[in-house]
Amino acid sequence: MDSTLNKIDQDFPILDQEVNDEHLVYLDNAATAQRPNQVVNALTHFYQTDNANVHRGVHTLAERATADYEAARRKVQAFINAPEPEEVIFTKGCTDGLNLVASTYGEANIKAGDEIVISIMEHHSNLIPWQQLALKKHATLKYIHLTDDGELDMEEAARLITDKTKIVAVAHASNVMGTVNPVKQLAALAHQHGAVFVGDGAQSVPHMKVDVQDLDVDFYAFSGHKMMGPTGIGILYGKRELLEAMPPYQYGGEMIGFVHQFESTWAELPYKFEAGTQNIAGAVGLGAAVDYLNNIGMDRVQAHEKEIVNYLLPKLEALDGITVYGPQEPAKHTGVIAFNLENLHPHDVATALDMEGVAVRAGHHCAQPLMEYLGLTATARASFYLYNTLADADRLLEALQATKEFFNHGSRETK
Ligand code: C6P
């Protein structure tokens, strides 16, 4: 295991606490990650020294705040290898970015009889916007299903994506099963048929090197808070020619060229899509999170998480009474693992694990069509990040054992 990564604990004071008399093991990173001191300090510094509104003032603080905000945009641009900063739009988060594309590109380009192709493993944020657009426009929504191993059925994808398809929208990594989807291949398939490809990067950008030019995605959305940035900030990347042709998402200050009484023109990119006062400090915090990840290196982040999954997954699968969903092969997994234990309700499992100081999520994970497809109502889910260790994986295994004992015999034998 990469020993320098084990030393980053000190950057995350929140992790150094007792929960239910046990040292906290935080395994709910797919829901939101923890923030290192470097991000918290960047927020404090911004509010204590540079805070002002951006692009509007000529005074020194306004100029500093604008410089901070635009520097954050350029950091994100480099991080995802977007060709130009104008193609990087600040949003409220991944959900906001996906809704933006559906409400502007979708609204302008989808007509009756067109087809939109998504996958059955989508988070509701990359499902409902397309479902509602299809309903409104009398278009058809089609789903790519899964192989037995929890991967996308690419043969079905090749059959479903046709010249009728106008939009293909798929998650780069599943927030439930940890499956990594072949986004580059899907984008190429979409392009062969003249469709655009929308990537949901909520569970990929924080965990692996993402290069939007290499993937050749047309749009790509993700959230700051899952990559150790603040909540309420996210990114939508879009290719310039598409963004330029799209109508604005919201109207108001900042996004205008000129406003007359009965008509208006729109600002240049990216401001056309950044109406009103933005989450300026959030952008600065996201920039600090990008710096933090760059200092470690995304290859190391990914290798670290892979090592944990390689270690944990076989042990988890060998545990009596456990069912793990998604790819069984560690190599095909991100650090997100969904499972159920015996016939226990996942909420009970998560509560019992919390008694052991282990924080996991339980529920449908905002992926109800996937749950329905798998014949489930809910699962428990452990999700790892760069500050987790093999010892955390062991704690999860021990806590699951203790949970089994508790429900089978009414006692927690590890205590
Ligand atoms: N998934 C989870 O626990 P927001 O809420 O906008 O930051 O991200 C939405 C979103 C979109 N796509 C995927 C693949 C996601 O995982 C999420 C957020 C969290 O799984 C909260 S439900």
Side-chain angles (χ1 to χ4, degrees), residues 7-207:
K7 297 204 181 81
I8 63 175
D9 268 29
Q10 62 215 31
D11 295 337
F12 298 86
I14 192 168
L15 297 175
D16 188 17
Q17 62 173 295
E18 305 279 299
V19 167
N20 294 321
D21 299 328
E22 299 285 356
H23 196 260
L24 169 66
V25 174
Y26 184 77
L27 301 181
D28 196 17
N29 295 288
T32 199
Q34 299 302 346
R35 284 59 163 161
N37 287 333
Q38 289 82 339
V39 168
V40 177
N41 293 344
L43 291 173
T44 307
H45 181 266
F46 175 78
Y47 280 124
Q48 288 183 341
T49 61
D50 293 353
N51 179 51
N53 213 329
V54 293
H55 303 133
R56 291 171 170 84
V58 290
H59 60 81
T60 301
L61 289 194
E63 282 176 359
R64 270 199 236 146
T66 303
D68 294 345
Y69 183 68
E70 293 304 331
R73 194 192 307 278
R74 287 192 300 277
K75 285 178 190 180
V76 175
Q77 178 207 346
F79 191 63
I80 58 169
N81 196 30
E84 303 175 72
E86 292 80 9
E87 297 174 313
V88 174
I89 295 157
F90 284 119
T91 63
K92 285 190 292 181
C94 187
T95 304
D96 193 33
L98 294 166
N99 273 279
L100 188 162
V101 181
S103 317
T104 58
Y105 183 87
E107 188 65 38
N109 290 286
I110 295 294
K111 53 183 190 334
D114 287 345
E115 295 182 357
I116 301 170
V117 175
I118 65 173
S119 92
I120 197 68
M121 68 170 86
E122 296 314 307
H123 184 279
H124 295 164
S125 294
N126 198 32
L127 190 156
I128 312 173
W130 310 118
Q131 178 195 70
Q132 294 303 307
L133 178 67
L135 286 172
K136 187 171 166 193
K137 298 282 187 167
H138 304 287
T140 306
L141 184 63
K142 294 198 160 171
Y143 285 88
I144 309 166
H145 297 89
L146 309 181
T147 64
D148 291 344
D149 197 25
E151 293 182 71
L152 271 195
D153 182 343
M154 289 302 286
E155 284 175 16
E156 189 186 22
R159 281 196 305 277
L160 288 182
I161 300 171
T162 68
D163 289 350
K164 285 188 176 172
T165 310
K166 295 292 175 282
I167 295 172
V168 179
V170 174
H172 199 162
S174 161
N175 70 314
V176 180
M177 301 176 298
T179 319
V180 180
N181 291 321
V183 156
K184 189 172 175 171
Q185 213 179 320
L186 285 163
L189 254 179
H191 295 155
Q192 272 166 33
H193 294 280
V196 297
F197 181 84
V198 185
D200 172 349
Q203 302 292 349
S204 48
V205 174
H207 305 283

Side-chain angles (χ1 to χ4, degrees), residues 173-310:
S174 161
N175 70 314
V176 180
M177 301 176 298
T179 319
V180 180
N181 291 321
V183 156
K184 189 172 175 171
Q185 213 179 320
L186 285 163
L189 254 179
H191 295 155
Q192 272 166 33
H193 294 280
V196 297
F197 181 84
V198 185
D200 172 349
Q203 302 292 349
S204 48
V205 174
H207 305 283
M208 61 183 81
K209 179 98 202 93
V210 169
D211 179 333
V212 291
Q213 292 190 67
D214 177 54
L215 296 174
D216 198 20
V217 288
D218 299 292
F219 299 100
Y220 198 89
F222 54 99
S223 293
H225 68 98
K226 294 187 201 288
M227 53 191 284
M228 302 181 294
T231 44
I233 189 79
I235 297 293
L236 174 69
Y237 158 77
K239 286 183 180 163
R240 178 185 272 278
E241 65 275 18
L242 295 171
L243 293 172
E244 272 177 350
M246 281 153 55
Y249 181 36
Q250 292 182 318
Y251 301 103
E254 272 297 280
M255 54 71 66
I256 54 97
F258 209 92
V259 179
H260 304 281
Q261 279 191 58
F262 300 107
E263 59 183 17
S264 301
T265 59
W266 315 130
E268 296 294 314
L269 294 176
Y271 310 114
K272 180 169 93 174
F273 294 106
E274 293 182 0
T277 298
Q278 297 295 295
N279 184 354
I280 305 161
V284 171
L286 176 57
V290 166
D291 288 341
Y292 191 86
L293 284 166
N294 278 335
N295 277 339
I296 291 170
M298 290 311 292
D299 290 344
R300 283 175 71 205
V301 170
Q302 191 173 7
H304 178 82
E305 291 175 25
K306 274 254 165 307
E307 198 170 343
I308 296 177
V309 174
N310 285 344

